[in-house]
């Protein structure tokens, strides 16, 4: 159906954006000699700046790198909002179809979901030696104690 197709489109878009951003971040980090051996957890603060959410040795340097490169910041914000739409769409599907004949209500439903736990501001991108992961809100790896496992 149209909703499922749209979600698939968003997922493809998200994967392309993630690959782009990962390349840009990788380039910027190697130019700035930032330590990539530690996992880095990126998120957006209340002002829309990309910031390091975890305890990373190069936190100040990384924060200022994003502040100095609007395209990196834009790439992150775009990724966060695409991820938010996918997460929201998947949460609503198929109940989201109930208001498909009432676009105004569908937009209202969607808007209220986007401002909750799936909001772009809750999006986290964690990059580390083991690869890349994303989540919304609280880090699931931290909750399970997985980060302390040897």
């Amino acid at each position: 159906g149209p909703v499922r197709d749209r979600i698939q489109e968003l997922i493809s878009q998200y994967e392309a954006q993630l690959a782009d951003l990962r390349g840009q971040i990788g380039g910027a980090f190697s130019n700035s000699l930032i330590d990539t051996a530690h996992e880095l957890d990126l998120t957006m603060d209340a002002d829309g700046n990309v910031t390091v959410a975890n305890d990373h040795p190069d936190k100040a340097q990384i924060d200022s790198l994003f502040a100095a490169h609007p395209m990196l910041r834009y790439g992150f914000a775009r990724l966060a909002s695409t991820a938010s739409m996918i997460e929201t769409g998947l949460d609503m599907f198929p109940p989201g179809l109930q208001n498909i004949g009432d676009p105004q209500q569908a937009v209202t439903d969607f808007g209220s979901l986007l401002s909750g736990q799936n909001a772009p501001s809750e999006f986290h991108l964690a990059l580390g030696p083991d690869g890349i992961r994303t989540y919304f809100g609280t880090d699931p790896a931290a909750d399970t104690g997985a980060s302390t496992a040897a």
Side-chain angles (χ1 to χ4, degrees), residues 12-37:
S12 302
Q13 231 177 312
Y14 170 79
E15 286 166 353
Q17 289 170 3
L18 183 59
D20 281 354
L21 185 65
R22 190 180 189 176
Q24 289 171 350
I25 289 174
F29 281 16
S30 62
N31 292 343
S32 304
L33 303 175
I34 285 169
D35 184 355
T36 52

Side-chain angles (χ1 to χ4, degrees), residues 7 9 25 31 34 36 46-47 56 75 81 96 104 107 115 124 138:
I7 291 172
E9 266 171 52
I25 289 174
N31 292 343
I34 285 169
T36 52
D47 300 321
H56 192 282
S81 56
Q104 192 55 56
V107 167
S115 60
H124 286 255
T138 317

